Amino acid sequence: MDTHDRVDGLSTETETGNEGFAASDAPVPADRRALNIAHRLKESAARYPNKRAVVYPAGWDESNRVAYTQLTFSQLDKESDCLAHGLERVGIKRGTRTILMVPPSLDFFALTYALFKIGAVPVVVDPGMGIKRMIQCLKESKPEAFIGIAKAHLLRWRYPAFFATVTTWVSVGRRWFPGAFSLKQVHQRPWVPYPPAATYVDEPAAILFTTGSTGPAKGVVYTHGNFDAQVRQIQNHFGIGPEEIDLPTFPLFSLFDPALGMTAVIPDMDPTRPADADPEKLIDIIEDHGVTTMFGSPALLNRLGDHGRSTGATLPSLRRVISAGAPVSPDIIEKFSGMLAAEAEIHTPYGATEAMPVLSIDSAEILGSTRKFSEQGYGICVGRPVGDIEVGIIRITDNPIEHWSDDLLVETGEIGEIVVKGDVVTRRYFDRPQAEMAAKIQDDDAFWHRMGDVGWQDNKDRVWFCGRKSHRVITDNGPLFTIPCEAIFNQHPAVFRSALVGIGRPPHQKPVICIELNKGDKGVNKEVLKHELLNLAAKHPMTHEIKTVLFHEGFPVDIRHNAKIYREQLAEWAAT
């Protein structure tokens, strides 16, 4: 007998496979086509059954070197089948919003793809954002099931009201919690194939929370169509082949690897603290496994680049490096490039939790063409549209825009807000209609997403990023944008980074530049340096009205990539 669940307003069948779909000669709307991202794993298992899918550090051997455990694609597919059967048996069905709090591991991959196969909706929150913010996000997702390690289960004892909607609990690891199923109990043997649910293109596949670096964290609803489009765009744009071995230093990005047929080697590091990663450990992993592709935040590339310059270490196996999460300075790219073979490329794609990848540019074009303009205050070039993504630059406003009109677009070369449209762009937030009104613009049957960033487009179809819209400083003489202004001050050799903030209310804000010095320059004469920085500012039209310089010991930065500066916090500090 067929049963039905309500999944965020969509009526969907809970049976697996294609049963339950009525035969009809009528064309099926594009967003009603059956599609489940878990089929990507099954395809990889069929093509490369004995190839390593996930490699995970499992301790240290007698020679004091890290030892690894692994799953092949066939094993990962079967493990997720066994878990899918078991999870469904204990109450996790199609559409069940399921908190997943398991660190990068073999279990993390098997559980995630098991949930995709069921058609359940994993809810993923960065643990590094702080306990109070994290549990608020979890509560906001109205979860119905919870899968987590022991530390995660302690949260439900400490904050029971935040998990009042949860009816199914699963504990991962050796420690067992009363009222929870252990993973061993859930894991169903012997193996029986689990056909992925016939989910729709527009059916929710996951809820991923933003870090909330420029406002409240929001649950972004990913559909199976969004994930599938991302896999296609990543594979086509970066030319990823089946022989690739990836080092994903950000857990969520690692989930693309099985869908791409790529081996994922999980690093021995804290993914919430990339700037503190041990360079020697990462270099050992890259050498041990012949890693060809790596994702790293700008903070991680900076740390590795410093290590490479001081030790002469190189990474000859790497063919491509992808860095995102925050603007990547040309200095970091140049420094890290010194560790790579001549033919290797560093790509700096642009996007957000709501839409990625959107734009991309490689290191050769940055160092050979756009760098000199970035250093003169033109912004950071983030490249050209990826795949079939449409990009526009519209007039800056903080108000919602209900309907699209070409009249919203600014002239080429004029700074405005970046908007995007395409299959990788998510349609909505979970239970946040006001946020959707502020971020989405209806365009007939489609929509544009407002990135919340400002920038401009040149006559070569490249977009130049000039900062967050909410970070612009609006003075009596007009707006100042963070990235162009900060580039002027960053030219000084004593400056590690700078941050433009405004004091007061727009449109009468006072611009202030905050300076974080290089770690080796703590003894610098700050009065002399301040005079030099103000002289720099006076030479450029975009910075000449900045008359206040403040020195800060260490900027507050985002948890996810340790690179986005929390300018709101700096503005409060500057005002005191």
Side-chain angles (χ1 to χ4, degrees):
M1 180 174 66
D2 294 344
T3 57
H4 297 265
D5 285 344
R6 298 295 295 180
V7 185
D8 295 334
L10 299 177
S11 178
T12 58
E13 294 81 4
T14 60
E15 66 275 8
T16 57
N18 289 315
E19 307 90 337
F21 285 83
S24 172
D25 293 330
V28 179
D31 60 356
R32 296 279 81 190
R33 288 184 291 107
L35 175 68
N36 189 315
I37 190 61
H39 278 295
R40 290 274 186 173
L41 171 60
K42 288 204 169 289
E43 290 170 4
S44 295
R47 292 177 183 172
Y48 326 111
N50 301 317
K51 179 183 174 182
R52 297 177 304 164
V54 186
V55 181
Y56 179 72
W60 299 84
D61 63 18
E62 61 275 5
S63 302
N64 201 33
R65 289 185 64 85
V66 67
Y68 297 91
T69 185
Q70 66 184 41
L71 288 174
T72 65
F73 278 101
S74 178
Q75 289 172 323
L76 177 58
D77 185 38
K78 290 180 178 180
E79 282 293 298
S80 57
D81 279 351
C82 293
L83 288 172
H85 281 295
L87 291 172
E88 193 171 44
R89 189 181 68 250
V90 301
I92 298 178
K93 309 290 186 182
R94 180 170 170 177
T96 301
R97 288 184 296 278
T98 306
I99 292 171
L100 184 62
M101 297 190 71
V102 177
S105 60
L106 303 184
D107 287 337
F108 174 70
F109 282 82
L111 282 163
T112 303
Y113 277 91
L115 292 170
F116 287 156
K117 287 178 178 181
I118 294 169
V121 182
V123 177
V124 182
V125 180
D126 270 341
M129 67 168 57
I131 289 179
K132 289 188 176 180
R133 293 183 70 199
M134 179 177 65
I135 61 171
Q136 184 59 48
C137 290
L138 296 177
K139 180 183 179 183
E140 187 176 308
S141 70
K142 299 176 183 175
E144 300 154 296
F146 184 106
I147 303 174
I149 59 173
K151 286 183 180 180
H153 276 271
L154 291 175
L155 291 175
R156 69 173 170 121
W157 295 104
R158 187 174 178 185
Y159 304 98
F162 286 78
F163 303 99
T165 57
V166 175
T167 57
T168 302
W169 302 87
V170 178
S171 179
V172 178
R174 295 179 181 178
R175 187 172 177 181
W176 175 78
F177 286 83
F181 295 96
S182 70
L183 198 60
K184 185 177 181 180
Q185 290 173 313
V186 168
H187 193 282
Q188 180 173 302
R189 286 288 187 187
W191 167 68
V192 176
Y194 188 100
T199 47
Y200 299 121
V201 170
D202 68 339
E203 188 169 332
I207 299 174
L208 311 182
F209 274 83
T210 63
T211 55
S213 56
T214 55
K218 300 180 287 292
V220 180
V221 178
Y222 269 76
T223 66
H224 287 272
N226 291 141
F227 278 137
D228 193 69
Q230 284 181 319
V231 171
R232 285 187 280 107
Q233 300 279 45
I234 291 169
Q235 192 158 34
N236 294 336
H237 182 76
F238 298 113
I240 292 173
E243 78 286 357
E244 305 282 359
I245 299 173
D246 186 33
L247 182 72
T249 60
F250 181 51
L252 284 180
F253 287 2
S254 68
L255 291 174
F256 288 113
D257 289 349
L260 288 162
M262 189 159 50
T263 300
V265 180
I266 307 303
D268 181 17
M269 62 174 280
D270 180 354
T272 68
R273 294 285 184 270
D276 298 329
D278 185 337
E280 290 287 355
K281 284 186 178 180
L282 293 176
I283 291 171
D284 284 346
I285 290 172
I286 292 170
E287 291 178 346
D288 288 347
H289 298 279
V291 170
T292 61
T293 298
M294 174 182 139
F295 173 85
S297 73
L300 181 66
L301 264 56
N302 186 56
R303 185 162 178 81
L304 280 170
D306 284 339
H307 181 79
R309 277 190 173 176
S310 63
T311 64
T314 60
L315 301 169
S317 68
L318 282 176
R319 302 172 191 168
R320 75 179 62 75
V321 177
I322 300 171
S323 186
V328 191
S329 73
D331 286 342
I332 291 177
I333 292 172
E334 182 179 51
K335 182 165 46 178
F336 187 71
S337 292
M339 301 183 72
L340 305 178
E343 64 274 12
E345 289 185 333
I346 301 174
H347 299 267
T348 61
Y350 165 84
T353 307
E354 296 91 336
M356 59 179 177
V358 171
L359 304 157
S360 187
I361 187 172
D362 62 39
S363 52
E365 187 168 10
I366 291 171
L367 298 179
S369 175
T370 68
R371 176 183 189 170
K372 58 181 178 290
F373 297 107
S374 293
E375 292 173 347
Q376 295 170 30
Y378 284 79
I380 293 178
C381 186
V382 288
R384 298 172 181 84
V386 173
D388 58 1
I389 284 287
E390 294 183 58
V391 178
I393 310 293
I394 64 172
R395 292 190 305 274
I396 297 175
T397 175
D398 295 313
N399 299 321
I401 302 172
E402 289 189 28
H403 299 289
W404 175 262
S405 167
D406 289 345
D407 293 339
L408 295 169
L409 295 168
V410 300
E411 297 293 327
T412 299
E414 183 180 344
I415 294 178
E417 183 177 3
I418 303 170
V419 295
V420 298
K421 183 170 74 169
D423 290 343
V424 301
V425 182
T426 56
R427 183 173 289 273
R428 63 189 193 81
Y429 300 109
F430 183 79
D431 207 21
R432 279 192 175 259
Q434 295 301 317
E436 287 174 26
M437 287 178 59
K440 311 296 181 183
I441 307 173
Q442 194 71 37
D443 185 8
D444 294 328
D445 294 333
F447 68 95
W448 294 81
H449 175 73
R450 303 169 69 178
M451 297 294 287
D453 293 329
V454 291
W456 59 281
Q457 198 160 17
D458 64 20
N459 55 14
K460 295 182 179 180
D461 205 28
R462 299 179 302 196
V463 174
W464 297 70
F465 171 74
C466 295
R468 293 292 289 170
K469 181 176 69 172
S470 61
H471 290 158
R472 71 193 191 280
V473 177
I474 306 176
T475 72
D476 292 324
N477 298 318
L480 299 178
F481 302 105
T482 54
I483 300 300
C485 290
E486 291 161 7
I488 304 304
F489 296 94
N490 292 342
Q491 293 178 35
H492 196 288
V495 174
F496 172 54
R497 56 187 167 191
S498 61
L500 175 72
V501 299
I503 295 177
R505 292 183 176 277
H508 309 294
Q509 289 184 297
K510 175 183 177 181
V512 173
I513 195 74
C514 302
I515 301 293
E516 182 180 344
L517 299 174
N518 291 317
K519 291 181 179 178
D521 294 333
K522 298 299 183 183
V524 69
N525 186 319
K526 291 182 179 178
E527 284 304 314
V528 172
L529 177 56
K530 183 183 293 187
H531 181 72
E532 292 172 353
L533 292 172
L534 290 176
N535 280 342
L536 261 181
K539 295 176 182 177
H540 297 270
M542 69 185 72
T543 55
H544 72 88
E545 65 175 301
I546 300 174
K547 306 296 183 184
T548 304
V549 177
L550 297 177
F551 295 97
H552 194 282
E553 288 298 313
F555 289 172
V557 294
D558 72 296
I559 295 299
R560 182 175 288 176
H561 300 292
N562 291 177
K564 292 179 183 176
I565 300 168
Y566 283 139
R567 289 176 174 81
E568 291 86 355
Q569 294 181 27
L570 279 179
E572 291 179 9
W573 169 81
T576 63

